Amino acid sequence: MTLKFDFQRPERTGLPEAVFCHGKDIKILNSILDTLGKKKTPVLLTRLNQEKYQSLESGIRKSLAYDPASETAYFNKGPVLKMNQEKIHRSPETYPVAIITGGTSDSKVALEAQRTLAFMDIESCIIMDVGVAGLWRLQESLSEIQRARVAIVCAGMEASLPTVLAGLIKAPIIAVPISQGYGVAEGGKAALMSILASCAPGLLAVNIDNGFGAACAAIRILNCE
Amino acid sequence: MTLKFDFQRPERTGLPEAVFCHGKDIKILNSILDTLGKKKTPVLLTRLNQEKYQSLESGIRKSLAYDPASETAYFNKGPVLKMNQEKIHRSPETYPVAIITGGTSDSKVALEAQRTLAFMDIESCIIMDVGVAGLWRLQESLSEIQRARVAIVCAGMEASLPTVLAGLIKAPIIAVPISQGYGVAEGGKAALMSILASCAPGLLAVNIDNGFGAACAAIRILNCE
Amino acid sequence: MTLKFDFQRPERTGLPEAVFCHGKDIKILNSILDTLGKKKTPVLLTRLNQEKYQSLESGIRKSLAYDPASETAYFNKGPVLKMNQEKIHRSPETYPVAIITGGTSDSKVALEAQRTLAFMDIESCIIMDVGVAGLWRLQESLSEIQRARVAIVCAGMEASLPTVLAGLIKAPIIAVPISQGYGVAEGGKAALMSILASCAPGLLAVNIDNGFGAACAAIRILNCE
Amino acid sequence: MTLKFDFQRPERTGLPEAVFCHGKDIKILNSILDTLGKKKTPVLLTRLNQEKYQSLESGIRKSLAYDPASETAYFNKGPVLKMNQEKIHRSPETYPVAIITGGTSDSKVALEAQRTLAFMDIESCIIMDVGVAGLWRLQESLSEIQRARVAIVCAGMEASLPTVLAGLIKAPIIAVPISQGYGVAEGGKAALMSILASCAPGLLAVNIDNGFGAACAAIRILNCE
Amino acid sequence: MTLKFDFQRPERTGLPEAVFCHGKDIKILNSILDTLGKKKTPVLLTRLNQEKYQSLESGIRKSLAYDPASETAYFNKGPVLKMNQEKIHRSPETYPVAIITGGTSDSKVALEAQRTLAFMDIESCIIMDVGVAGLWRLQESLSEIQRARVAIVCAGMEASLPTVLAGLIKAPIIAVPISQGYGVAEGGKAALMSILASCAPGLLAVNIDNGFGAACAAIRILNCE
Amino acid sequence: MTLKFDFQRPERTGLPEAVFCHGKDIKILNSILDTLGKKKTPVLLTRLNQEKYQSLESGIRKSLAYDPASETAYFNKGPVLKMNQEKIHRSPETYPVAIITGGTSDSKVALEAQRTLAFMDIESCIIMDVGVAGLWRLQESLSEIQRARVAIVCAGMEASLPTVLAGLIKAPIIAVPISQGYGVAEGGKAALMSILASCAPGLLAVNIDNGFGAACAAIRILNCE
Amino acid sequence: MTLKFDFQRPERTGLPEAVFCHGKDIKILNSILDTLGKKKTPVLLTRLNQEKYQSLESGIRKSLAYDPASETAYFNKGPVLKMNQEKIHRSPETYPVAIITGGTSDSKVALEAQRTLAFMDIESCIIMDVGVAGLWRLQESLSEIQRARVAIVCAGMEASLPTVLAGLIKAPIIAVPISQGYGVAEGGKAALMSILASCAPGLLAVNIDNGFGAACAAIRILNCE
Amino acid sequence: MTLKFDFQRPERTGLPEAVFCHGKDIKILNSILDTLGKKKTPVLLTRLNQEKYQSLESGIRKSLAYDPASETAYFNKGPVLKMNQEKIHRSPETYPVAIITGGTSDSKVALEAQRTLAFMDIESCIIMDVGVAGLWRLQESLSEIQRARVAIVCAGMEASLPTVLAGLIKAPIIAVPISQGYGVAEGGKAALMSILASCAPGLLAVNIDNGFGAACAAIRILNCE
């Protein structure tokens, strides 16, 4: 049972080396990180909740730059990371990527996207809580969104926000359905269907709650010039 | 096999006596209309497509006021009908019911709603093709919509229109999911889920393509003062 | 990450300012309530279960009028609240809104609807456990229901109650599917489909367990005169 | 490719020998009927629509007692059949089986059930169009239904009728969901879920549109004394 | 909020007065049982798991004849109960109802059915673990099953057992899909679909895991002579 | 738009070169066959219905050995084909593959499997109409089935046949769900779920109606010694 | 019933003005094109099948540049179109967009994407039939694909192609699920789920068969520099 | 309530006697193992998680050879077991069965398959983490996989691995969908559909996470020579 890592992926695809931690047991996770630690490969850990983080081997845990709000950690990332972290908290200016959310419940996914971008030294801003049930909130942030080269839109419930935005901006829009909600909204299927069925041309969807995937797609787009 | 009509329904519920024609074979339909004709009960026929209409007994067919665009017919309706028909083609003024659609493909359902209201002598206006992918189209008609006491909104695809409207008007909103579209939008399930999952409080849903039901609900609301 | 509140919504839509607490973490919830507290805006909190309520900051927790049975809380509501609370426990008289349930398991949703109405100073009565498997129970309460201007009907399992009621009353009927039950009834999808597919004209549906939404729709209807 | 018939089934199970014609091509159908014709086994053909009936070999076609309304045919049934046919058209008396339908669109399935029972020389009455949206129609027929030993209830749309009946009679109730309707009712899944999720204890379901199966279950029940 | 009991149901339908405990909170449950206790009505409690049972008021808890394996309890049942309890553990003889299961995991549902029958003083035998993947096990018990007037068959996974049995016995077969299993079998939908789609004529289905409903249907059948 | 054929597939995988004709338009189909004709590659055409077959270019049509019952055709197959064709119609002996069906409606899929095997010069027998609702029919053919090295079982409706067989034979069982039936059986999903959920260990499933795929899997198994 | 066009959309979003013809009746379509004709707006018509095209008013029909293979038409497009048309048939060089398909059945959607791009004067190449069941076919075209700035991948059935490609190229990948196939593949849901669930980071999905939407997203990406 | 064991199954089907422990309560499990212990039948226990294992009667627990990683245990297996256990940890050579996984999260199912094979004294190797998003990892192990007589492929998410493998090897491929993942991948349905819809001919599917069933099918195949 030898693990086979894919150390050349960053070169080929321009994407971060990442370990998806959900569903992996602690023993396997420790052994993966041990191997990666020796290779000094910078690695992004996603879906690492606090409980799992706490149960990692203490040596490994200490070497991680862990962020509980996004459930991500940086491993072997080096000094670049710190500088970038500061940038992402700056006041609203022009960013290559704007991350927009319809409600405050979508923050974890938005932060996962932001941390993934930051891992690749790409700055982004988060514009939160601009759901279309109150259009003026969107209007206030519109010019900021229009300056971005890529928009990532996190939207749960009926997910109207990406559709409305698609009529207002020129940039590519990566819509992330969010699993928030209850009844027919539960699990994010309604939001996903809404995004895919949208009458607004040119919307792009990723899997439900997949902030990491949305950021990777944004990286591909920014790399494509 | 005696048919049992419900002649007192209009009194009890304030709703039109109606015959849903889809799925009923011509022989049964002829016999129902024959019975109703003798009773002189005013009846609304819904989902009567042209082919079925043409194959009705010629005597019955001639006594129907048939409208192919909405696939409805009036039976035993009397002189009131004509006057009302004129009213519904008037220029935009204040109407008790505003019927709004997101696209031109939703017109049949919108017309079914309008004809149902007209059958009960309730005027309405139709505001077509104001989908949210182009918000300024909605903005132009907004003050007209705000004057109505009830809004019926027909919306297919991702059905964002009712959500956006719900943040802009005070009136009750009856949203009708439309079965237009392909892929995940096919059959109208995406639109239905979107309406039910909406983050905008106070949206009300009826079955997919149910223009008749939306109008009946509007009648109940107008009767509730 | 600035939060954007929608302080004008009550004026535009006539609906309560509300915070949906499910899925929001405590830190965000505390910060939202802190902001709202400073603005003195009256706010309704929904889906605030006891565990979450207990973990709020004690200062905020004390300023809430919390009701565990409906999992709602009033914030900044003022003296009007008390008076209204009394009213909703009065004996059966004529109320603008009648809230009807098919079984005792639907009480939480019914109470959420009632508390939402009360927040807007609208009185209502709850008529519980009148499922159609025993029609005489419905018959006893019928005249009381018929006096109301709007009926909210909570119905789980096969949700026949709204259909039966729709043949007996003139008022608009807002049906709330309930997620009670097991097997095919689990999660409330069977109830929802039953309501939407109903042969009774003029039924209106909201999302599963959405007592708050049903009340908001009732408020829109009562405002539409 | 030898066909293997199950000639002993009637003895073992007390049920009719039947051939389900839908989905079988004409060549195979002709060959099956040819074999059965030689054995003189009485056979019931179900789901034999007019087009398929017309394209059968003329010799075989002539030997069938075909009923287009129920899409069934009797083969080798003998003189008993005629007598029974008369009985099923008698005025309302006491019958071992009452077949009840919620609307006129359910008649084909109801007739399939009746013809299956008649094939086994069991009388039944059909009580049509007693949907619960108009309860008094049900009330009129209630005493007749209560006299039957088994009730077969055909119900489409939201299928409330079996639930309401289950609170009013003692007999076993076999509910047949009907595929009538549109939107969420399309295909009969809403009706099926409604029947299975019913809060009324002791309801029994068969597959959507399965009038034949409902009749077979009734035969098993009548045989079980 | 007055509770409305249906004390006449046993007379009208011949079925037990029952309280479905799942999803009802303890306070409501205590109040229901308190009311029923005063009326001396014999009541069957279903889906009362041990945890809920333990948290009932001690006075009420002591007056219940609780059976943890079936999660049922008898209330106000009187001396008849004891005698009956003995009978249901007798060796295999002729019983009015045979309860058959495909595996040992189905026992809770089978016992719920048996306890419901026993509450109405109807004897039954349970024949466990005769899944069709080993046909000889079924064969051994076949003559015993054939002597019963009604068969209740609990079957999870792919639920072939009812289909096979339907070809071997004359009695009515009430099939109960079981929610056991994983993957596509999870939740019992595969078993339910299998039963409804069965090629064996005359199978009857109840909701997933609904042992109580199956027993009620059996009671209706036994009452129908 | 150059087409890219995979001429080495037979060598690498041991499977027939095949063209799936459903959904391909005639122009593309003609061009594919023209290219293949020049290369003299033996090709199996599947899902080529009569209408499509008739509209092929006459030169191509004449060079096909078409079988309407299985909707397959052989192209460039050479003299081996004839000999093999005879073999597959021989009386029941020992065959490497036994193809078993639950009903006569499954014959097209069974024949597609047989023709695919014959294309690779593998003999097989078809044992038709041995559904488990009549177990003795299965019993008669059991010893013949037990002699085969692989069993392909076509089963629609509730698909119990593969489960029952799995308890009676040692050979690998490839189960093909069939799309026959109505209601919950429509489209074959019930049969598929039943096969996957089966309590009988070692059942293998292919896609609904995929006779070709089942035969390819059998070829892989026979090649694996 | 005034139609409201959105003539500023091209300026705001950089996307083509388009009319989705499926589901619109001929009368409405003629009237839309008449209006647009007068405004001289260049318009792309999608999902205009041959039958609908033939039934357009002859004046309008003649002014359309119709392409039956992609079911698209150009209206008011001007001389630019011709030049571009030539370019898209050139031999494989470097194109801004590479359109890749897994099979020949996906060609209509691929062509819809190409025609949409060409309408905006963007060149593209189509690389057809490189499904992953034969990896070397993909390998041959890989360097050509790697030169493109955006990849549109049309994939039906199990849709593995986008996942495999995502590990081999740096460019953004827009995956279009195709509705080809039968059984579980029918309608394209399996392909859609496969794309969304992909383990390859950075895949982007549009609705099933939505070649137009994929091209619009590519236009947004190319505009985002 | 006598339990009926199927002690002849190993002889008839060549498969291990197994007890599926999930969903069986401890009391029943203890009683089953007690009975089997007396008969000295070798038995494989599957889905026995650590918690359940710990709560078994200590006498029974001690007699089990329990493996927590695969959640399986051997009972009455005898000395053969040890020898075999060693073999399965040998370095990569030629094995009758190769078990391949797409990711490290699939290891439990892979180990369940391996332990089931080992119970029948069949050796196998596990080749882990060769997902197709990095094709070269697959390439490295390809010759080892090609030497096996049967391949079991565990694949979650979009499950492309079996499709890619099917184009590269001749052996039968048993694909096991894995329930890993979130959003549309949750529960393994996307993986299952992907496997069934695969364009690669000859793929075989078992239920989601069914490592035991995959191994049983491999045993049938190896027995079929």
Side-chain angles (χ1 to χ4, degrees), chain F residues 3 5 7 19 26-41 43 45 56-57 59-61 63-64 75-76:
Chain F
L3 299 171
F5 283 101
F7 294 112
V19 173
I26 285 297
K27 221 188 293 184
I28 289 185
L29 214 50
N30 277 325
S31 122
I32 289 174
L33 292 174
D34 193 58
T35 310
L36 291 170
K38 284 169 192 150
K39 299 246 181 185
K40 304 283 182 212
T41 329
V43 177
L45 286 79
L56 285 171
E57 266 177 38
I60 286 167
R61 196 171 60 243
S63 63
L64 295 178
F75 189 55
N76 299 328

Side-chain angles (χ1 to χ4, degrees), chain F residues 6 8-10 12-13 15 220, chain G residues 102-103 129-138 157-161 164, chain H residues 132 135 160-169 197-203:
Chain F
D6 182 0
Q8 293 77 35
R9 201 189 322 177
R12 265 174 310 107
T13 63
L15 299 178
R220 285 179 182 271
Chain G
D129 212 7
V130 290
V132 294
L135 280 178
W136 52 100
R137 295 182 296 179
L138 181 58
M157 314 296 272
E158 92 298 346
S160 298
L161 181 53
V164 170
Chain H
V132 295
L135 280 178
S160 298
L161 181 55
T163 293
V164 170
L165 257 184
L168 300 171
I169 68 173
S198 174
C199 61
L203 275 191

